[in-house]
Amino acid sequence: MNITVLGETKFASPIGHSVSDDLRIPENIIIDPASPAKEELTFELAGPRAKLFFDPANTRAGIVTCGGLCPGLNNVIRSLFLELHHAYGVKEVLGFRGGYQGLDPANGKEPIILTPEFVHNIHKEGGTVLGTSRGPVNIQVAVDNLILRGINIIFTVGGDGTQRGGNELFQEARKRGHPLAVVGVPKTIDNDVAFVTRTFGYMTAVSEASRVLSNAHNEAISVQNGIGLVKLMGRNAGFVVAGATVACQDVNFALLPEVPFKLDGPNGFLAALKERIVHRAHAVIVVAEGAGQDLFAADELKKDDSGNIKAKDIGLFLRESIEKYFKGENIPVVIRYIDPSYIVRSSAANSEDAILCDMFARSAVHAAMAGKTGLVIGYMHDRFIHVPIELLASRKKSMDPHSFQWKAVQAATGQGVQFK
């Protein structure tokens, strides 16, 4: 997987050590002698290069944060700036406001000139000091603006839609012959980015969500036939639900997008929930927002401004279905429904994610200063790597129902075989 470089690297790096472009990380490190040999993907190892494409004293960089909130955004902004400013001595760093919309000067928001004083304490706050938005921007107008402002490097911090937008910026700049380094930092609380073992914000989300699940358990056991029902993030992947379930150990039913389930019938979810209530008089259920979408009546799919399919509200659907079912069974239940999604995603990063954010950001700066473009920083086998944007945007990561992770969920909940 070769990475595009803007041109010859002529400037000596101020960093005291360097990594060779020849060092590669394989996608798969498991060797199965029984499987036929095949060509494996390998990726450039991230890190500082001995020579730079950009002269730091004449370089201007920009940062943009896009999409939904995620713990660690401010940490990434801060570490990007500090590495550019202190380690490389870059002339100026601009923070574009309001997501990709901020690349269009017509929206009226001037970018922020970042300084050590501005970023001093931002890592202690949730959200993003630059603001965010969903949806695209006119690419021609955005590149015009970047050229006009003398931007040599743009860091795009966001999910798959953001990185697709970064690829368009890269392609448009290349078409015009403008040397613009576009480097993405992958952001999604769902942890569903390919070639990234763990995205920043995920562990904070798991930690915050597990506390919510513990509180839901407290509510459920405090009343007769109490049911705690919690909906968490996870449009296409159930990693947050799985992680929080195993961390909490108080969940009885975990429902993920990757594992279809049936509501009705003797082996369905509602029958299993009834058995739990009859024998234990309480239950805790956690469901990912993208689970059970096949249970809704088929109609026109709606999309958000980022182009993602908007999931129907499985949390409210389950609450109504459970209420109706137990009423028909003449079993009184008390349901406590909790949706903490916006609280979880707006939290400040915990220490584990803070460290990860810092390493993602510094890896991105090293790549950009070396003139590498059209890439996203990946993270595999405990190493940071360079992934072409087009490749990353073409894949999604999801949980394997036969994986160790899902087996751990089944062991923690005791739910066994999924409901069919």
Side-chain angles (χ1 to χ4, degrees):
M1 291 288 100
N2 294 321
I3 299 297
T4 301
V5 181
L6 292 171
E8 183 182 355
T9 52
K10 301 178 180 180
F11 302 96
S13 172
I15 307 300
H17 64 284
S18 63
V19 173
S20 169
D21 282 346
D22 295 331
L23 296 179
R24 314 289 292 187
I25 298 293
E27 179 183 14
N28 185 18
I29 60 172
I30 298 175
I31 300 174
D32 183 359
S35 298
K38 64 177 182 179
E39 187 175 351
E40 295 283 354
L41 287 177
T42 62
F43 299 89
E44 275 187 5
L45 184 64
R49 271 27 184 195
K51 294 286 188 179
L52 309 180
F53 175 79
F54 294 109
D55 177 6
N58 296 307
T59 297
R60 181 175 282 112
I63 303 170
V64 61
T65 56
C66 305
L69 294 183
C70 175
L73 282 168
N74 285 332
N75 302 67
V76 171
I77 294 167
R78 186 176 191 272
S79 292
L80 285 171
F81 171 77
L82 293 179
E83 188 71 9
L84 288 163
H85 180 77
H86 290 303
Y88 283 98
V90 163
K91 175 182 176 181
E92 190 172 72
V93 183
L94 300 182
F96 288 93
R97 302 163 64 191
Y100 273 146
Q101 301 307 312
L103 297 183
D104 184 346
N107 71 13
K109 292 184 178 179
E110 273 295 303
I112 299 168
I113 299 176
L114 300 184
T115 64
E117 294 74 25
F118 181 85
V119 304
H120 181 61
N121 282 318
I122 64 172
H123 59 298
K124 300 176 183 178
E125 305 169 6
T128 165
V129 293
L130 299 182
T132 186
S133 65
R134 294 189 183 276
V137 64
N138 185 303
I139 295 298
Q140 289 77 23
V141 170
V143 173
D144 285 342
N145 188 32
L146 293 173
I147 293 173
L148 182 65
R149 293 182 181 276
I151 298 294
N152 310 106
I153 297 168
I154 185 73
F155 296 100
T156 58
V157 187
D160 52 356
T162 302
Q163 304 313 333
R164 286 193 295 270
N167 186 49
E168 293 178 17
L169 291 172
F170 156 61
Q171 298 291 355
E172 178 66 20
R174 183 167 65 173
K175 185 171 66 176
R176 298 189 191 191
H178 175 64
L180 177 69
V182 181
V183 179
V185 180
K187 176 232 71 180
T188 170
I189 208 167
D190 294 348
N191 197 37
D192 61 351
V193 178
F195 313 110
V196 180
T197 304
R198 189 173 77 254
T199 51
F200 73 83
Y202 168 69
M203 292 306 296
T204 303
V206 167
S207 179
E208 295 293 326
S210 65
R211 278 194 277 270
V212 173
L213 293 176
S214 293
N215 291 339
H217 178 252
N218 293 337
E219 286 283 350
I221 63 175
S222 297
V223 293
Q224 181 68 18
N225 294 347
I227 298 175
L229 173 59
V230 180
K231 184 179 76 171
L232 295 176
M233 298 75 62
R235 186 188 301 119
N236 300 300
F239 291 111
V240 173
V241 165
T245 296
V246 175
C248 173
Q249 296 284 316
D250 285 328
V251 174
N252 308 113
F253 303 97
L255 308 174
L256 283 64
E258 297 93 331
V259 186
F261 64 95
K262 298 296 184 184
L263 278 182
D264 303 311
N267 298 316
F269 166 72
L270 292 173
L273 179 59
K274 175 186 173 181
E275 183 178 356
R276 167 78 192 181
I277 291 298
V278 168
H279 288 93
R280 297 299 299 276
H282 74 277
V284 176
I285 308 159
V286 58
V287 59
E289 62 181 312
Q293 294 300 301
D294 59 317
L295 301 175
F296 293 93
D299 55 12
E300 183 180 355
L301 295 175
K302 297 181 180 179
K303 296 185 177 182
D304 62 22
D305 291 336
S306 295
N308 300 308
I309 295 174
K310 296 179 70 173
K312 303 290 181 63
D313 198 324
I314 187 62
L316 295 178
F317 177 82
L318 280 180
R319 184 179 70 176
E320 294 170 2
S321 299
I322 292 168
E323 288 175 343
K324 181 179 179 181
Y325 175 80
F326 279 93
K327 185 176 181 180
E329 295 291 317
N330 200 28
I331 300 174
V333 293
V334 178
I335 302 176
R336 307 299 191 201
Y337 176 61
I338 306 168
D339 180 357
S341 300
Y342 290 104
I343 295 172
V344 169
R345 76 179 196 171
S346 60
S347 300
N350 64 15
S351 57
E352 185 172 7
D353 273 329
I355 294 170
L356 190 63
C357 289
D358 186 76
M359 291 191 288
F360 264 116
R362 295 182 192 279
S363 296
V365 171
H366 295 320
M369 292 302 297
K372 295 180 183 296
T373 187
L375 75 136
V376 178
I377 301 300
Y379 179 56
M380 292 195 314
H381 317 314
D382 205 30
R383 294 289 187 273
F384 290 88
I385 58 173
H386 298 157
V387 182
I389 293 179
E390 291 175 307
L391 176 64
L392 183 135
S394 70
R395 293 198 190 180
K396 272 286 193 183
K397 184 176 73 175
S398 59
M399 182 173 293
D400 181 355
H402 303 290
S403 67
F404 181 82
Q405 287 173 299
W406 174 241
K407 298 304 180 184
V409 171
Q410 290 181 307
T413 60
Q415 68 190 57
V417 178
Q418 195 65 5
F419 319 106
K420 299 179 179 180

